[in-house]
Amino acid sequence: MATMITSECINCGACEPECPNNAISQGEELYVIDPLLCTECVGFHDYEACAAVCPVDCCVTDPNNVEGEEALIGRAKAIHQDIQFGDTFESRFRKGDKPAPAAAKKPAAQPQGEPAAATAATAESAAPAAVERLEDESIEPPLPPADSWSIPLRCYKCNESFDFPVGRFMVGNVLWCPHCHKSMVVRDNVNYQIRTLLKDFYEGWEKDETEFRARRERELREFREKRAKELRDFENRRRQGLEKIKARFAELGDNYDAPGRPAKKGSFAWG
Ligand code: SF4
Ligand code: SF4
């Protein structure tokens, strides 16, 4: 039973990055799930990750597309051929069981010359974002301080490379190659380029985040207003229902032909 997104979707986009299969994308009007990629998170979680983060609970199981665990784990294996799922994979069909170990990535071939620590860090950063992130609204990754950047340089004499902090890239400054100790002077105005680059980047980063947060605020406000209106309409329907039944009872009382009630003059009485 693949998961589907209903028309209640407010396009907040929270579900998209949570999907381990990249099955979610923005459709013409709302976010949509590709049923050929959705595994109901079988293989990764014992719950549907999109449903877990959706603020309006509009990621629901599709009653018209029923699939069993076997089909779903088969799909997960076909999509992620680099993952060994084993027999104790996570699955919503096994909810309540002792938690199964997370799916293990097959070790990737170590790139030549790349330190093992760097590869481990990459795998960690690719882990699915925690559901709790939605609560505190923290946005990853953080922006490094402007003076923490460095520029990779290659020494023209020994051809070795080394990192040089951007803050020291000033016209007239002497750079020393840490390998052969050859000195180089910063002649052109690279400093200006670096500062412009950093300024544009930091401003763009801020602007992007401000717009992103404003959009989320607006959508949440609209969503709350919609929910409040739905509640008011629902309450009004209930009031009308109560009025209606009261009116029906009043009508019944008015027309009730109680035993012993004198017959209206001229009317015909049986018996
Ligand atoms: S249920 Fe899981 S696999 Fe399916 S769309 Fe949602 S997050 Fe993706
Ligand atoms: S989390 Fe829910 S409301 Fe937000 S885009 Fe996904 S389906 Fe739509």
Side-chain angles (χ1 to χ4, degrees):
M1 197 182 307
T3 305
M4 58 178 271
I5 293 174
T6 69
S7 59
E8 301 295 312
C9 173
I10 57 167
N11 280 318
C12 70
C15 55
E16 189 180 9
E18 301 300 325
C19 180
N21 302 322
N22 289 327
I24 305 174
S25 58
Q26 192 158 24
E28 276 179 19
E29 289 179 14
L30 307 170
Y31 274 75
V32 290
I33 293 176
D34 183 346
L36 298 177
L37 291 176
C38 176
T39 62
E40 296 173 42
C41 288
V42 167
F44 294 91
H45 309 295
D46 66 355
Y47 57 89
E48 291 95 325
C50 53
V53 298
C54 181
V56 294
D57 294 332
C58 69
C59 301
V60 297
T61 43
D62 182 354
N64 297 316
N65 191 6
V66 180
E67 290 174 297
E69 186 184 59
E70 203 180 326
L72 294 167
I73 189 63
R75 180 173 302 144
K77 285 176 181 171
I79 297 170
H80 302 279
Q81 293 179 7
D82 60 332
I83 293 180
Q84 293 168 331
F85 289 91
D87 294 331
T88 54
F89 53 85
E90 298 276 7
S91 165
R92 72 177 191 80
F93 295 86
R94 304 172 185 197
K95 219 173 196 147
D97 287 358
K98 194 168 179 283
K105 274 254 178 207
K106 274 184 192 165
Q110 187 75 23
Q112 265 200 339
E114 191 170 332
T119 313
T122 310
E124 193 180 332
S125 61
V131 170
E132 291 74 28
R133 280 193 52 226
L134 260 191
E135 303 303 320
D136 62 16
E137 294 286 340
S138 61
I139 296 178
E140 295 290 330
L143 185 60
D147 58 4
S148 67
W149 299 91
S150 56
I151 296 183
L153 295 176
R154 185 168 292 281
C155 174
Y156 67 84
K157 189 177 172 213
C158 68
N159 206 32
E160 291 290 338
S161 58
F162 60 98
D163 288 343
F164 199 78
V166 289
R168 293 179 55 206
F169 230 106
M170 309 286 282
V171 181
N173 253 14
V174 180
L175 321 182
W176 298 91
C177 169
H179 304 287
C180 68
H181 306 295
K182 174 73 188 161
S183 64
M184 293 164 264
V185 179
V186 181
R187 291 216 192 102
D188 50 1
N189 202 359
V190 181
N191 180 45
Y192 174 76
Q193 285 180 44
I194 293 170
R195 286 184 187 284
T196 309
L197 202 63
L198 281 175
K199 180 173 173 288
D200 291 350
F201 179 75
Y202 277 71
E203 282 178 359
W205 184 281
E206 283 295 316
K207 184 168 172 277
D208 204 26
E209 184 168 328
T210 305
E211 287 173 359
F212 175 78
R213 286 185 183 278
R215 179 166 64 84
R216 282 172 69 85
E217 282 294 316
R218 190 185 65 244
E219 286 170 353
L220 279 174
R221 196 173 52 247
E222 287 169 0
F223 165 68
R224 288 196 192 104
E225 285 167 5
K226 185 175 164 223
R227 292 277 283 234
K229 182 178 178 308
E230 276 173 7
L231 181 62
R232 281 198 303 276
D233 291 348
F234 181 70
E235 288 173 343
N236 283 340
R237 277 207 308 281
R238 295 219 131 169
R239 281 191 198 99
Q240 284 164 8
L242 284 175
E243 291 307 319
K244 213 181 241 173
I245 194 160
K246 274 191 212 159
R248 288 286 293 131
F249 279 135
E251 200 179 304
L252 276 176
D254 281 350
N255 296 331
Y256 180 53
D257 196 5
R261 181 180 180 175
K264 279 186 191 161
K265 209 172 172 187
S267 65
F268 180 80
W270 294 95

